[in-house]
Amino acid sequence: MNDQDNIQHSPTRYKLHPAQILLSWLEVIKALIPLIIIVYLDIRDSAQLEVYHAILPGFLLLGLLTSYLSWQRFYYVLEHDRVRIHKGILFREERNLYYSRIHSVNVEQPLLHRLLGIARIKIEMPGGKSEGDGVLKAITLATATELEQWIRSQSSSMKQKQEGKEEGQVQQEPRNDAPPSHLALEQPPIFSRDVIDNKREQEHDATKQTAAYTYKLPLSEVLFASITTVNIGLVITFILGVISFADDILPASLYDRIVSVIQVIFPTWWGIVIVGVIAAWALSTVLYILKYGGFQLESDGNQMSISYGLLEKKKHVFRIKRVQAVVVKEGVLRQVLGYAEVGLHVVSSNKNETVVLHPFIRKQVLRGWLSERLPQFHWVERDKRSPKRAIWSFFKWDIFINGLLTAAAVWYFGMVGWWVLLLFVVTVPLSYMSHSDEGFTCRDEQLTIWKRDLARYTIFARRKQMVTFQKIATPIQKKMRLQRMKVKLMGDVGGTSFNTQCLDEQDVEVVWNWFRRDQQEKQQQK
């Protein structure tokens, strides 16, 4: 008798929290704001204003009605092998998320959700959408936590059962009819005995694998990490944003007065830039604390859970086996202090964001700590480096770009523009360090890459997670027997890729043969 024979299908439907009506309505209002502003600015007389005031409430009520109907028509059902989501007012849509294909379950609490005491849960699958394949936008935090654990256990146990059936080693466990507690409080139980058995099997296996691990990052270390992190993009955006805001919003007389005062305090533009950088650095520090405050890592050897955020609470849950690559990032200042940030690329994790395994860890303990958390990855020393004849490839863009900037500055500012040559004091050492840090190690089933832009990166990737490998060379590089390699991993349509800048041709050929052997073995197995 198979699992299907034991399943008693129940049509019980779970609905979202009523707060979803408010959230949907606010999204409608947010979408209408640009139109409201445009129409309001185009009003030329009082008659048009009265018509506008009469129509606007109608649009807002229509938005409220559609938000209510959208909430009313949305429900989800938990079955023995999948989660079914139904939605749509006029055109109905049904989405089936099979436990065996779910790769990550993330619980998030944006600021408004935290104020309302609710959470949002995202269920992601391989090659899925960036916003999540199944999103429950508003459920109570207790239900979200219970549902997340339930889906995780079902996903793991279904995959374990499939592997056991292939090996002829399926075992039976004692049964327990008790449903998840928080879900039972909201709705009648809908889970069959076999589904309960799956959860018990997974819990038994998890406790047998390894002892649970929990780590909480102290707020003092979060503060230290924020000070050592400089977001260059945020600095530039902050300076330009302040200038643009003052020029567009403030009256001309007030703007000129502020500029004259600043010129008195800071006679040169260098002073203004320094103050702007300090202010942006302070803003970057505050944003970093808000993002990573309350960081907590939990692992049971099979599943890993990472949560962080003071205002917007985020939680990533995934199987350790689904980690495609590990990226160790060392900023210039952190490298001097001996600290690093560890990020993960996970199948079907957020497509635009790397999951942070540890935002601030000492390099002295990183090697052993990483092996314990992710035993499939191994810390190795660098075997191959970028050859000396490749150093020109690292300096060519510095010379070209800095030369253009200097020429433009001299043309516009005159003799003062020659100060732009000081950029070489910064860019030349960085280019030299990029050449010194470039390299790789190809050993067993793992490719490890070292590279640098502003920060130094150490990338660990497993061969079975690689889908493409490219050897690239310009005509000049071919003459000098140089190449660069590009590796693409599994994931969404865009994929995650890592590349080197300039390596010896023979060294890249070794990696190419290593990758090609794996592809040939896969074809033979098929």
Side-chain angles (χ1 to χ4, degrees), residues 206-253:
T207 55
K208 189 170 62 175
Q209 286 178 357
T210 183
Y213 172 82
T214 302
Y215 173 77
K216 295 182 179 179
L217 187 65
L219 186 59
S220 58
E221 292 194 19
V222 176
L223 177 60
F224 190 21
S226 66
I227 295 174
T228 60
T229 303
V230 183
N231 191 329
I232 301 298
L234 180 63
V235 170
I236 297 174
T237 303
F238 177 81
I239 295 175
L240 296 179
V242 170
I243 296 174
S244 176
F245 176 81
D247 189 24
D248 295 338
I249 303 299
L250 298 179
S253 58

Side-chain angles (χ1 to χ4, degrees), residues 15 78 93 115 129 141 184 238 260 273 291 337 342 379 427 432 445 460 475:
K15 297 188 67 64
L78 303 180
E93 177 184 350
L115 295 176
K129 301 179 180 179
L141 182 58
F238 177 81
S260 61
V273 171
K291 181 177 181 179
L337 297 174
V342 183
W379 192 282
T427 59
Y432 179 78
E445 294 297 313
F460 305 86

Side-chain angles (χ1 to χ4, degrees), residues 189-290:
I190 68 170
F191 306 107
S192 67
R193 288 187 173 183
D194 288 325
V195 176
I196 303 299
D197 292 345
N198 291 340
K199 183 177 181 181
R200 290 175 58 85
E201 290 173 6
Q202 188 274 337
E203 290 176 348
H204 180 267
D205 292 338
T207 55
K208 189 170 62 175
Q209 286 178 357
T210 183
Y213 172 82
T214 302
Y215 173 77
K216 295 182 179 179
L217 187 65
L219 186 59
S220 58
E221 292 194 19
V222 176
L223 177 60
F224 190 21
S226 66
I227 295 174
T228 60
T229 303
V230 183
N231 191 329
I232 301 298
L234 180 63
V235 170
I236 297 174
T237 303
F238 177 81
I239 295 175
L240 296 179
V242 170
I243 296 174
S244 176
F245 176 81
D247 189 24
D248 295 338
I249 303 299
L250 298 179
S253 58
L254 180 59
Y255 178 78
D256 293 338
R257 189 182 307 172
I258 293 175
V259 171
S260 61
V261 172
I262 292 176
Q263 289 176 344
V264 172
I265 300 175
F266 306 102
T268 63
W269 62 276
W270 288 101
I272 300 175
V273 171
I274 292 173
V275 172
V277 169
I278 293 174
W281 195 337
L283 177 62
S284 177
T285 299
V286 173
L287 294 178
Y288 189 95
I289 294 174
L290 293 178

Side-chain angles (χ1 to χ4, degrees), residues 36-57:
I36 292 173
I37 294 175
I38 293 173
V39 174
Y40 185 80
L41 294 176
D42 194 51
I43 293 176
R44 304 188 181 279
D45 53 43
S46 58
Q48 290 181 339
L49 184 61
E50 292 178 0
V51 173
Y52 177 74
H53 286 165
I55 295 177
L56 181 59

Side-chain angles (χ1 to χ4, degrees), residues 180-192:
S181 58
H182 292 300
L183 295 175
L185 293 175
E186 294 190 356
Q187 302 280 359
I190 68 170
F191 306 107
S192 67

